Amino acid sequence: MDPSEQKLFTVLDYVIFGVLLAASACIGLYYALSGGRQRTTQEFLMADRSMHCLPVSLSLIASFQSAVAIIGVPAEIYSHGTQYWFIGCAYILGLLIPAHVFIPVLYRLRLSSAYQYLELRFSKAVRICGTLTFIFQMVIYMGVCVYTPAFALNAVTGFELWGTVLVTGLVCTLYTTMGGLKAVIWTDVFQTVVMFAGQLAVIVVGVQRTGGVSEVWKKVVEGNRISGLDLNPDPTERHTFWTLGVGGVFLMLSLYGVNQAQVQRYLSSRTERDAVRSCYVVFPSLQLALALSCIMGLVMFARYCGEDHTDKLRNSSRDAMVIYFVMDMLQGLPGLPGLFVACLFSAALSTISSAFNSLATVTMEDLIKPHFPSMSEVRATLVSKALALSYGLLCLAMAYLTHLMGDSVLQVALKIFGMVGGPILGLFCLGMFFPCANSTGAVTGLGAGLATAFWVGIGSIVTRTYNAKQLPPNCGSLHQRPSGLKRFYSLSYMWYSAFSCVTVILVGLIISFLTGPMKEEDVTPGTIYPLVEKLLCFLPEHVKTKLCCVSPLRRPVSLMSKLNLITFLFLLYLKLSLQ
């Protein structure tokens, strides 16, 4: 498909793409004019806590399966093989732990914002720190989600880049501001169906035009794109079973355990049981979404391996190659290019709308309401809608910053979640699993986690230690072995969440013991999950008490006990850092 031969959308393609945008806006309008008409913050931000399991679970999928995944995963498989597919193993614990640990604690507290938990458990200062960290994370990620489909389309179709960014951002802002969380969830349901349909269409046509399933399999095997189980324990290796299957668990927990965009959906469920069931329903759907993206990458490899199409692309990024493949496969089939573009923008809209609504929620509940407790319900709802609108406009500015970054969109997105989501996960784990942790330890731990995460993350971006070829002509890749401090910077981005989470917990516990651990009677009931006690149920009670860091009632912890535990934690931290 040369640029000179490149065909823009037919009328049918424009109609299909237009129907997607119109349907999304209409859902928002419907919920703006029906029911309670979004006149209360409870309805606008929490959907009146009336949602059933199925729409919640489909919305959870749509929020995760962004345009970043639809473009980034096939590009990853095309360039590096199927090793990334092993991240599916992380989905097991990454969804079971939220279902049986985080959801029960958060749902029973009847919260609107996940960060209200931090005030109940620690203090208002910790809540504000957690909220600001989440806002920072999601604002940056929104830019990636808006920019991804726009730049890829521009690379191979000639769509005006910033015009596309503007349309995506404004349509999403419109239905989120009008219809609230109900509109967001039901548009997610609609957009999930469109996503799966678009990917299936590309795979079916791609396999048929490449010569059938057997021919595709033959080419990917010959091209060494079917990866075996890589058990290399080296944490600097970009993708191994350990980085994906273990490091990926921490990434999933930061997404499905404590991220407000997902927690808000759990809290909007009618019952706790519905919230837990939604996690179970998400698991097979996420596996299906991962499989479709990986298969699409393999079909793309079977079609193009050995050919260099860089000169035919307006953008030489491997992410743009996915859109090139789609337009090449679907040329001459009116309606199908429009369906895939609709699929791509469905993924973008669902993720961005979730971000808008969750950002409006945490800003309203954590930063505004505490300072204006007497604000009327009508005014609070108007402010919430204004916040959703403001964040929608802000994401357009963030899209420009994404334009300046050099990594693949998949790696950029996962780095963001690792560098910022990991410390937030560590903060919640510190509060839920360690009753002794106090407010000073929590704030210090969060600061330490963010500092170390950004140190490694920014160091890796600046030094560019991992330099894979983007379009390998001989189905191979280059890998330079770093040394010294550069080796530390070359830590796999899949370990960012785990590294920063553990840093928050260890630093938080050390500071808590130095400043005086929290006593049991000072801990708000319902904010602790007895994880350590359950895991170590076979140990004597006095040993469990020390390991759980609980300061017994009216019995101060001796200085020697503090020093012993601090020494043990420090040595453990050094060992983990140097591995």
Side-chain angles (χ1 to χ4, degrees):
M1 185 181 74
D2 295 318
S4 58
E5 301 172 355
Q6 190 175 326
K7 298 179 180 178
L8 297 178
F9 274 15
T10 64
V11 174
L12 183 57
D13 293 317
Y14 279 113
V15 168
I16 291 175
F17 184 47
V19 165
L20 164 76
L21 298 179
S24 298
C26 286
I27 292 173
L29 185 62
Y30 172 78
Y31 282 104
L33 300 175
S34 64
R37 304 182 75 171
Q38 310 301 318
R39 287 176 177 163
T40 66
T41 53
Q42 185 73 0
E43 182 178 12
F44 183 75
L45 300 176
M46 302 303 300
D48 277 336
R49 300 187 190 270
S50 62
M51 301 307 296
H52 295 268
C53 168
L54 186 59
V56 169
S57 60
L58 289 176
S59 182
L60 289 169
I61 299 165
S63 301
F64 180 80
Q65 186 71 358
S66 67
V68 172
I70 291 179
I71 288 181
V73 174
E76 168 67 29
I77 301 300
Y78 177 80
S79 297
H80 301 288
T82 57
Q83 190 67 224
Y84 183 80
W85 208 329
F86 284 107
I87 198 173
C89 299
Y91 292 177
I92 301 171
L93 286 178
L95 289 168
L96 280 177
I97 293 174
H100 296 284
V101 176
F102 293 106
I103 290 178
V105 172
L106 297 175
Y107 194 92
R108 291 168 193 174
L109 292 172
R110 304 297 290 176
L111 310 174
S112 296
S113 160
Y115 304 99
Q116 286 176 277
Y117 167 85
L118 297 177
E119 182 174 357
L120 291 174
R121 174 63 182 86
F122 295 114
S123 66
K124 185 173 291 186
V126 180
R127 175 182 181 177
I128 292 173
C129 288
T131 300
L132 293 176
T133 304
F134 169 76
I135 290 174
F136 175 72
Q137 174 192 19
M138 293 307 290
V139 165
I140 296 176
Y141 182 60
M142 280 194 303
V144 180
C145 291
V146 171
Y147 181 74
T148 298
F151 102 91
L153 283 173
N154 172 262
V156 291
T157 66
F159 275 41
E160 181 60 37
L161 177 63
W162 295 107
T164 309
V165 167
L166 192 63
V167 169
T168 307
L170 291 181
V171 169
C172 191
T173 302
L174 177 69
Y175 74 74
T176 305
T177 304
M178 290 193 307
L181 185 60
K182 281 185 180 178
V184 171
I185 289 177
W186 283 110
T187 49
D188 283 353
V189 172
F190 165 66
Q191 289 158 1
T192 301
V193 175
V194 176
M195 274 192 282
F196 284 135
Q199 285 183 294
L200 277 171
V202 173
I203 290 171
V204 170
V205 174
V207 168
Q208 188 254 331
R209 292 196 169 182
T210 306
V213 176
S214 59
E215 185 65 19
V216 170
W217 180 255
K218 177 185 173 184
K219 288 183 177 180
V220 297
V221 170
E222 288 176 352
N224 197 29
R225 279 301 176 271
I226 304 299
S227 305
L229 190 64
D230 186 353
L231 296 176
N232 185 350
D234 185 355
T236 64
E237 285 295 322
R238 185 169 173 271
H239 287 162
T240 66
F241 174 77
W242 303 114
T243 61
L244 295 164
V246 180
V249 170
F250 286 86
L251 177 67
M252 289 294 292
L253 290 178
S254 70
L255 282 169
Y256 280 92
V258 299
N259 187 286
Q260 172 66 20
Q262 310 295 54
V263 170
Q264 197 169 337
R265 280 151 178 72
Y266 303 143
L267 300 178
S268 72
S269 301
R270 291 184 311 160
T271 64
E272 182 185 326
R273 185 180 179 186
D274 276 342
V276 171
R277 284 171 59 197
S278 67
C279 263
Y280 280 94
V281 175
V282 164
F283 177 73
S285 305
L286 279 181
Q287 294 288 3
L288 174 61
L290 177 64
L292 288 175
S293 295
C294 291
I295 291 170
M296 188 171 156
L298 291 175
V299 175
M300 187 167 80
F301 182 87
R303 178 75 175 178
Y304 297 128
C305 184
E307 301 176 19
D308 187 356
H309 292 272
T310 307
D311 59 328
K312 299 179 183 178
L313 298 170
R314 289 182 175 85
N315 186 312
S316 60
S317 166
R318 68 183 185 188
D319 299 310
M321 189 69 190
V322 177
I323 300 297
Y324 175 87
F325 165 69
V326 170
M327 301 304 288
D328 188 18
M329 289 297 94
L330 301 184
Q331 247 190 115
L333 298 173
L336 289 185
L339 177 62
F340 185 79
V341 170
C343 155
L344 199 61
F345 277 82
S346 289
L349 289 171
S350 61
T351 305
I352 301 162
S353 63
S354 301
F356 290 171
N357 195 264
S358 61
L359 285 168
T361 302
V362 297
T363 306
M364 187 67 203
E365 297 292 333
D366 299 331
L367 302 180
I368 296 178
K369 271 190 176 180
H371 298 286
F372 300 95
S374 60
M375 183 185 291
S376 68
E377 192 62 36
V378 173
R379 177 164 292 186
T381 305
L382 286 174
V383 172
S384 298
K385 292 182 178 182
L387 287 170
L389 177 62
S390 301
Y391 280 120
L393 298 176
L394 181 60
C395 88
L396 300 179
M398 289 301 103
Y400 180 73
L401 290 182
T402 304
H403 173 62
L404 303 177
M405 299 184 77
D407 283 323
S408 73
V409 291
L410 181 67
Q411 193 160 322
V412 168
L414 295 184
K415 276 186 176 181
I416 291 169
F417 278 116
M419 291 162 63
V420 188
I424 295 176
L425 173 64
L427 191 60
F428 276 86
C429 289
L430 183 67
M432 284 190 190
F433 306 146
F434 300 95
C436 73
N438 62 26
S439 177
T440 305
V443 172
T444 309
L446 177 62
L450 287 170
T452 53
F454 275 92
W455 177 32
V456 177
I458 294 174
S460 72
I461 292 173
V462 172
T463 57
R464 300 287 180 192
T465 54
Y466 183 82
N467 217 356
K469 284 174 113 182
Q470 302 222 343
L471 292 172
N474 296 316
C475 310
S477 61
L478 297 178
H479 183 67
Q480 282 190 328
R481 194 73 173 173
S483 59
L485 191 58
K486 287 185 178 181
R487 179 165 171 76
F488 180 62
Y489 290 149
S490 68
L491 178 73
S492 171
Y493 68 95
M494 289 300 299
W495 282 117
Y496 284 6
S497 284
F499 177 68
S500 54
C501 175
V502 171
T503 300
V504 171
I505 293 172
L506 291 178
V507 173
L509 288 176
I510 290 171
I511 298 299
S512 293
F513 268 84
L514 289 175
T515 57
M518 185 173 281
K519 292 182 170 58
E520 284 182 300
E521 71 266 28
D522 295 330
V523 178
T524 304
T527 59
I528 300 294
Y529 183 86
L531 179 67
V532 180
E533 287 183 31
K534 291 190 176 185
L535 292 177
L536 304 177
C537 58
F538 55 89
L539 292 177
E541 195 63 34
H542 69 281
V543 176
K544 283 195 295 183
T545 299
K546 288 183 179 180
L547 290 176
C548 293
C549 313
V550 177
S551 202
L553 301 184
R554 294 176 300 279
R555 188 189 304 164
V557 179
S558 68
L559 178 62
M560 187 57 67
S561 297
K562 290 183 182 181
L563 292 175
N564 287 339
L565 184 59
I566 290 169
T567 303
F568 168 74
L569 292 173
F570 180 70
L571 291 173
L572 179 62
Y573 178 69
L574 282 178
K575 181 180 178 182
L576 291 172
S577 300
L578 295 173
Q579 277 183 346

